Every structure is written in structure tokens, then in C-alpha cells.
Amino acid sequence: QMMSNNQTVSEKMLGMDKFPVLTAKDTLKKALDEMTKHRLGIACFINESNELIGILTDGDLRRLLLTRQNPLPALLVTSAIEFGHASPTSIQGEQSLTEAATLMHDKQIWDLPVVDGSKKLLGLIHRHDVN
């Protein structure tokens, strides 16, 4: 059962150095390296203003491998963001962990990028950290 939790997302989120943060120029190989290094199934993409512009997840990678006919070496040097999605679900830092848990449950997702009011990326909240 869900415990009520009034802690805010920003109190429990991973900091920017604890998960993959990439730019639109970064390759799929770089994204895979970062996701493996951080042991997370998500990479977040930001622009020059640090605004969240997309995410790439393990699910996106599985779909990519099943649907693309290109040889793997060609895929690895392609911009990773091409394989992700551009308007990901996110949450604001001052929202509660209960709200984060509900959003994750409703959307069937494990990770939520945390942003401020102007869409700047602040961190990442993982499913295990909202309970």
C-alpha cells in the first residue's frame, strides 16, 4: 500500500552528476556508455540553457534494436536523441513524493526528470526513491 509521503521530490532526487545528462549532439554509443556507467535505464537530454529537451529509455533502445534495419555501428554514431522522445513526462522539485509515485504509476514509468518552472533540468527521481 502507498504510504503518504509529504517529502518533496527535490529532497530525494538524484543530482545532475548521478545520472546520464547528454546533449542533442551526443551519440547513441555515448548514451549507452553513460546509462551503463550509472546503471540507469534512462538518459536525459538538455539544450544550451539546461532545459530538458528529451529522454532515451531502455524501452526505446529495445524498440530501436527490433525495428531498425541499419547495422549497429551506423546506429552507434547517430545522435542518441533521435531514438528517444521529445516531450517526456517530468515533475517539479517542490511536488511531493506521493505525486511523483502516482505519476509514475499512471504512466508506467520508472524514472522522472525533475525540472523547475522554466523546464531547466534539476535532477532525476527513481521509482525506488518515492516510497
Side-chain angles (χ1 to χ4, degrees):
Q1 71 282 6
M2 288 293 304
M3 303 270 296
S4 105
N5 197 326
N6 296 323
Q7 266 190 301
T8 63
V9 167
S10 53
E11 290 175 70
K12 291 292 291 276
M13 70 184 182
L14 295 171
M16 295 285 282
D17 55 340
K18 297 281 192 291
F19 66 98
V21 178
L22 304 166
T23 71
K25 293 189 188 76
D26 287 318
T27 62
L28 183 60
K29 177 166 191 334
K30 169 116 186 241
L32 290 169
D33 285 343
E34 288 291 309
M35 288 163 84
T36 303
K37 183 177 94 180
H38 289 283
R39 295 201 173 98
L40 285 169
I42 187 172
C44 295
F45 297 91
I46 55 174
N47 62 16
E48 306 74 48
S49 309
N50 291 326
E51 293 156 341
L52 179 67
I53 55 170
I55 63 169
L56 177 74
T57 67
D58 278 350
D60 295 325
L61 294 168
R62 283 195 297 276
R63 281 187 289 281
L64 165 64
L65 290 173
L66 291 171
T67 56
R68 286 294 176 123
Q69 302 310 311
N70 323 41
L72 201 54
L75 290 176
L76 287 174
V77 296
T78 305
S79 297
I81 198 168
E82 282 190 28
F83 309 117
H85 31 284
S87 19
T89 303
S90 60
I91 197 163
Q92 296 200 2
E94 61 273 15
Q95 290 181 255
S96 72
L97 292 178
T98 305
E99 288 176 284
T102 302
L103 191 54
M104 287 173 175
H105 181 265
D106 291 348
K107 299 269 187 181
Q108 296 292 295
I109 52 181
W110 281 92
D111 301 278
L112 270 176
V114 182
V115 296
D116 69 10
S118 55
K119 282 288 180 208
K120 284 191 173 33
L121 185 63
L122 304 174
L124 183 78
I125 187 89
H126 186 66
R127 189 83 180 86
H128 295 144
D129 298 324
V130 297
N131 297 323

